[in-house]
Amino acid sequence: MPEILSLEELRERFSNASGGEMFDPEFQKVAELVFGGGDSRQAPYCGMPTLLKAPYRPDASPNFTGIDIALFGIPMDLGVTNRSGARFGPRAVRNVDRVGPYEHVLRAVPTAHARVADVGDVPFRSRFDLAASHEDIERFVLGVVKAGVVPLAVGGDHSIGLPILRAVGKDRPVGMIHIDAHCDTGGSFEGCKFHHGGPFRQAVLDSVLDPRRTVQIGIRGNSEYLWEFSYASGMTVIHAEDVGDIGIGAIIARAREIVGSGPTYISFDVDSLDPAFAPGTGTPEVGGLTSAQALGILRGLAGLNIVGGDVVEVAPQYDPTTNTAQIAAQVLFELLCLTAEAIKIRAS
């Protein structure tokens, strides 16, 4: 931290200094990355809203040239079992003004080390056909992956996890850190197995997700009996109450041990948070994580081999405060930091 100065020293050093001028070497390094010289930044409320204020590249598909990390929206909620509305999640997250560019815990400016763009939304052939929508998602994400770009998605309901994993895990099954109130490993209901309560059962059965390298954190609620597949397949289930009982540090250590150094996907459902923090979701469950606990867990994953991620189930119409979208945007930024660090490690 900077040295403590007397009042006279403070006056001498800071009276005529600009807002972008720092004297501590660590802060100076960050300021140079953020400001690039001078003290001017675009006002957060100006310009076209994009995910994390990233450059907008809707024309990047199919080659995704000049991009390391693709941020994109999946405005689809045909797989919900309760309250619809997550189709509006990507737009709500784009409208969040002040997230990044600096992460103070990880001391990261991810855009300084990776080329990041908002590549728009997955194009859908039909707003009515769930199976066709999943095909469209898989095709789009497969294009991102084939281009050597890491996908970070904003949904949309959690059924999008299956087509994303089919693309990301196409050549080998991946591990997963899944933060959620529900395991989402249920079976077929009413003739459909592609709903948002079952994507990860099907991903395992499709050989794109390794259950022994999967940890599910924050699980709770009245659907516990539906998650037999998680236990039978060897997934590690950590309930919400366990987070308080054993502490964030132990949760992080366990998650890192389970996924190891292999390719890992991170899936974050906002209903993992207690509805006091994130009421804008389709299946709220009381007794959930705090926003600080969730961010603490994510920050503890730095250095893992992250190959993709998502933030899902933001249904903004149930949250007049916009807190849910704000938290989702912050989580997306944490995923961006983790992904940029992984890219740097893989390149070294």
Side-chain angles (χ1 to χ4, degrees):
M1 293 297 293
E3 60 180 318
I4 298 176
L5 305 178
S6 68
L7 179 57
E8 287 304 315
E9 290 171 323
L10 289 171
R11 286 171 173 164
E12 181 179 353
R13 179 174 295 186
F14 292 105
S15 290
N16 297 311
S18 74
E21 187 177 1
M22 309 297 163
F23 299 92
D24 176 85
E26 189 68 27
F27 289 163
Q28 188 178 60
K29 186 191 309 182
V30 175
E32 288 172 355
L33 291 173
V34 172
F35 288 98
D39 62 357
S40 177
R41 289 187 296 170
Q42 183 186 37
Y45 47 81
C46 292
M48 184 178 68
T50 67
L51 294 170
L52 302 181
K53 287 290 184 181
Y56 191 49
R57 292 278 310 279
D59 59 339
S61 179
N63 298 319
F64 299 98
T65 55
I67 300 173
D68 298 313
I69 303 172
L71 311 176
F72 58 96
I74 307 183
M76 191 281 297
D77 60 6
L78 295 174
V80 297
T81 56
N82 188 25
R83 301 190 297 184
S84 61
R87 67 183 64 185
F88 301 113
R91 179 170 293 180
V93 174
R94 283 190 173 99
N95 281 329
V96 174
D97 294 326
R98 295 187 65 257
V99 174
Y102 179 58
E103 213 287 3
H104 76 285
V105 176
L106 300 176
R107 297 188 175 186
V109 182
T111 52
H113 306 292
R115 298 169 296 178
V116 183
D118 180 342
V119 298
D121 291 339
V122 171
F124 291 110
R125 291 168 293 168
S126 170
R127 75 186 74 178
F128 307 110
D129 190 329
L130 175 60
S133 295
H134 281 191
E135 292 172 1
D136 294 336
I137 295 166
E138 182 178 354
R139 184 182 305 110
F140 182 87
V141 179
L142 193 58
V144 174
V145 173
K146 283 185 175 179
V149 177
V150 181
L152 293 181
V154 177
D157 71 62
H158 219 161
S159 72
I160 70 169
L162 175 58
I164 294 176
L165 285 170
R166 282 174 170 169
V168 174
K170 184 176 186 295
D171 297 327
R172 77 288 182 244
V174 299
M176 181 175 67
I177 296 173
H178 171 209
I179 303 176
D180 199 329
H182 313 99
C183 288
D184 292 348
T185 51
S188 175
F189 293 106
E190 300 170 16
C192 179
K193 60 183 178 181
F194 301 114
H195 52 82
H196 72 165
F200 303 127
R201 174 190 291 212
Q202 196 60 45
V204 171
L205 297 177
D206 286 353
S207 299
V208 296
L209 177 64
D210 183 351
R212 305 297 175 90
R213 293 187 55 242
T214 295
V215 55
Q216 302 183 295
I217 303 170
I219 308 305
R220 64 192 186 278
N222 60 12
S223 299
E224 174 75 17
Y225 67 98
L226 298 175
W227 315 137
E228 179 183 19
F229 184 88
S230 288
Y231 299 100
S233 64
M235 295 181 181
T236 298
V237 178
I238 299 176
H239 291 88
E241 56 271 21
D242 297 331
V243 177
D245 289 344
I246 68 176
I248 291 176
I251 300 294
I252 292 169
R254 185 75 176 116
R256 297 181 71 95
E257 176 188 4
I258 291 165
V259 300
S261 60
T264 301
Y265 187 84
I266 300 180
S267 187
F268 189 97
D269 189 325
V270 294
D271 72 25
S272 63
L273 302 168
D274 191 274
F277 298 90
T281 191
T283 49
E285 297 277 5
V286 299
L289 306 180
T290 69
S291 53
Q293 286 174 326
L295 294 179
I297 292 169
L298 289 170
R299 289 162 176 162
L301 305 179
L304 294 181
N305 185 10
I306 308 301
V307 295
D310 64 55
V311 184
V312 298
E313 299 285 356
V314 176
Q317 66 272 37
Y318 304 118
D319 183 0
T321 71
T322 73
N323 284 352
T324 307
Q326 181 73 37
I327 292 171
Q330 185 65 46
V331 168
L332 180 65
F333 183 64
E334 302 297 332
L335 295 182
L336 177 62
C337 291
L338 298 176
T339 305
E341 177 67 14
I343 289 173
K344 187 165 65 171
I345 292 172
R346 288 195 288 265
S348 62

